[in-house]
Amino acid sequence: MAEPWHEELRARGYRVTPQRQLVLEAVTALRHATPEEICTEVQRTARGVNISTIYRTLELLEQLGLVKHTHLGHKPPTYHLASEADHVHLVCRGCGEVYDVTPTVAKGLVDVLEQEYGFETDVQHLTVYGRCRNCRTT
């Protein structure tokens, strides 16, 4: 049985190329990865794939709604599967670990912004910085 994204690519008139498959597999495995990290992962299997191919593939996959990117700090964007994008990012300033938590943790903030400012939020792009439990105890 084909992966759901295989069907999505074909339904939109795109071929399932080895490069696209490797990029999606790398995004899946790495969870939050920069294009450079994705390229390193892809090159473990296909040494001939360069960073330009990674960027073009990520751009296409994002246009098709298969991946999303976010900015976590002052580094290149990180990519993750769109099907797993419904979360808030917690980034530890101590160790750099990125945690995904359910958007309901921001419900109070979302409610206040809506009620007091009429502002509809997109918490899928919300990133909160702090220190994780491990870094706070060391």
Side-chain angles (χ1 to χ4, degrees), residues 112-130:
V112 167
L113 292 173
E114 172 66 34
Q115 292 167 5
E116 294 187 22
Y117 301 96
F119 193 80
E120 181 180 14
T121 59
D122 174 7
V123 293
Q124 288 183 357
H125 284 94
L126 180 61
T127 302
V128 179
Y129 294 89

Side-chain angles (χ1 to χ4, degrees), residues 5 22-32 79-81 84:
W5 53 267
L22 288 169
V23 168
L24 276 167
E25 288 172 358
V27 169
T28 301
L30 298 171
R31 291 189 36 228
H32 297 99
Y79 288 82
H80 54 277
L81 293 177
E84 300 173 3

Side-chain angles (χ1 to χ4, degrees), residues 88 102-113 115 121 123 126:
V88 173
T102 178
T104 58
V105 301
K107 183 172 179 3
L109 174 63
V110 169
D111 290 346
V112 167
L113 292 173
Q115 292 167 5
T121 59
V123 293
L126 180 61

Side-chain angles (χ1 to χ4, degrees), residues 8-65:
E8 183 68 27
L9 282 170
R10 288 187 183 110
R12 295 188 181 202
Y14 293 94
R15 293 181 305 125
V16 178
T17 64
Q19 294 88 346
R20 291 173 184 155
Q21 180 165 340
L22 288 169
V23 168
L24 276 167
E25 288 172 358
V27 169
T28 301
L30 298 171
R31 291 189 36 228
H32 297 99
T34 65
E36 289 77 13
E37 292 165 335
I38 293 166
C39 188
T40 299
E41 182 69 16
V42 167
Q43 287 177 342
R44 292 171 148 204
T45 305
R47 292 193 182 276
V49 176
N50 62 35
I51 192 68
S52 297
T53 300
I54 301 298
Y55 275 103
R56 281 193 308 273
T57 302
L58 288 169
E59 183 178 352
L60 173 65
L61 295 174
E62 190 163 24
Q63 288 172 359
L64 295 175

Side-chain angles (χ1 to χ4, degrees), residues 3 47 55 61 72-73 75 100-101 119 126 138:
E3 295 281 343
R47 292 193 182 276
Y55 275 103
L61 295 174
L72 303 175
K75 62 179 190 175
D100 296 340
V101 296
F119 193 80
L126 180 61
T138 57

